[in-house]
Amino acid sequence: MTTTITAQMSQRIGANGRSYWRIYVCLMGESHWPEHVFRGTKVPTLAQRSAALASLGYTVALPQGAGGFWDWSEDSADCDDPSSAVTLIASVPVRPVQRKALRDVARVS
């Protein structure tokens, strides 16, 4: 059985003041986490998130037919200031895609 890890998605404000969403795979003990950036303020669709994860070499690790269930939580932009803006964070378990499946994704793209 393949071990699952966590992918997260959150919205950020760039240096130019524009917001964007990013999805990243949490690899504990690693200095670089694979990530994909979505420009704009709209929450990426399930299909967009799945495609982004596939481009990073991962797939959602939920039972068949349950692919739409991401857990959402909130955090504050400044943990010392309860009046600061809320940051939404979505998470989902993922597993690495097998090499053959990665070749198939590349062929379709």
Side-chain angles (χ1 to χ4, degrees), residues 11 14 49 74 86 108:
Q11 190 175 35
R49 289 181 239 167
E74 64 180 61
V86 170
V108 171

Side-chain angles (χ1 to χ4, degrees), residues 32-109:
H32 174 76
W33 291 358
E35 91 172 359
H36 177 86
V37 173
F38 301 94
R39 300 288 173 204
T41 59
K42 291 184 178 180
V43 178
T45 66
L46 293 173
Q48 290 170 321
R49 289 181 239 167
S50 293
L53 286 169
S55 75
L56 297 175
Y58 295 88
T59 187
V60 174
L62 292 173
Q64 189 71 13
F69 295 106
W70 286 61
D71 289 321
W72 288 85
S73 61
E74 64 180 61
D75 196 2
S76 58
D78 180 350
C79 61
D80 293 328
D81 180 3
S83 66
S84 68
V86 170
T87 301
L88 294 176
I89 302 168
S91 63
V92 70
V94 297
R95 66 176 179 273
V97 176
Q98 296 174 354
R99 291 252 179 235
K100 179 187 178 302
L102 278 176
R103 284 194 306 269
D104 293 343
V105 168
R107 213 173 304 142
V108 171
S109 301

